[in-house]
Amino acid sequence: MKADLRSLLALLLLFTVGCVTPVTPEQIAGADYGTVPEASIYQKAIQDLVQQSLLEPFPARIRIIREPQKGYAYLSGRRKPPEFGYIVHVGITAKNFMGEYRREKPQQFFIKNDTLYLLNKSDRAEVVE
């Protein structure tokens, strides 16, 4: 019985360690989001990053779904504080191995000053506006 209780407590501790501390309204209000990204600069940076990551980058189609919005992302894992900046939602349509266009895939990018990050589906990022 004691072994079962210890196992349960160890399991609960493991789940608690992996949890993210929620961002407070005070953090959101006092955060440094960096400079507002210029459309021509961030769109070119996204195009370049997408072309580097695809097997058939030309002609990948990139559609801006939502312009940059203030937000935060956990870039260094969930145990470290989030970074504040701008989140851009795009849709990417690229060719597959057969040379045919596949369905548009949603993708998020995080921008802080002049740095662009491609967010994975497992990365936690939220818009604050």
Side-chain angles (χ1 to χ4, degrees):
M1 183 72 173
K2 286 187 179 185
D4 291 335
L5 185 56
R6 278 186 262 159
S7 297
L8 179 62
L9 289 174
L11 188 61
L12 288 173
L13 180 62
L14 179 65
F15 284 125
T16 304
V17 169
C19 292
V20 176
T21 306
V23 176
T24 65
E26 292 80 19
Q27 286 176 303
I28 291 171
D32 173 19
Y33 293 93
T35 57
V36 178
E38 290 184 39
S40 61
I41 294 171
Y42 80 80
Q43 289 174 2
K44 171 87 170 89
I46 289 173
Q47 182 77 34
D48 292 344
L49 187 59
V50 167
Q51 288 179 352
Q52 292 172 12
S53 64
L54 293 174
L55 294 172
E56 287 288 333
F58 299 102
R61 299 176 189 155
I62 299 172
R63 180 176 66 90
I64 304 297
I65 296 172
R66 271 189 253 151
E67 296 297 324
Q69 297 174 296
K70 287 183 180 178
Y72 61 89
Y74 290 87
L75 301 175
S76 301
R78 295 173 185 257
R79 294 184 188 186
K80 297 191 179 184
E83 289 286 331
F84 289 87
Y86 291 85
I87 298 173
V88 181
H89 297 268
V90 302
I92 300 172
T93 307
K95 290 185 177 183
N96 61 17
F97 289 115
M98 305 294 285
E100 302 166 338
Y101 280 100
R102 52 185 188 194
R103 286 192 333 212
E104 182 178 88
K105 290 177 114 179
Q107 184 66 57
Q108 289 183 340
F109 291 87
F110 182 81
I111 303 170
K112 177 73 180 251
N113 295 323
D114 294 330
T115 307
L116 177 70
Y117 300 90
L118 172 65
L119 297 176
N120 297 317
K121 289 185 181 187
S122 62
D123 292 333
R124 181 164 179 226
E126 293 187 30
V127 171
V128 296
E129 289 184 315

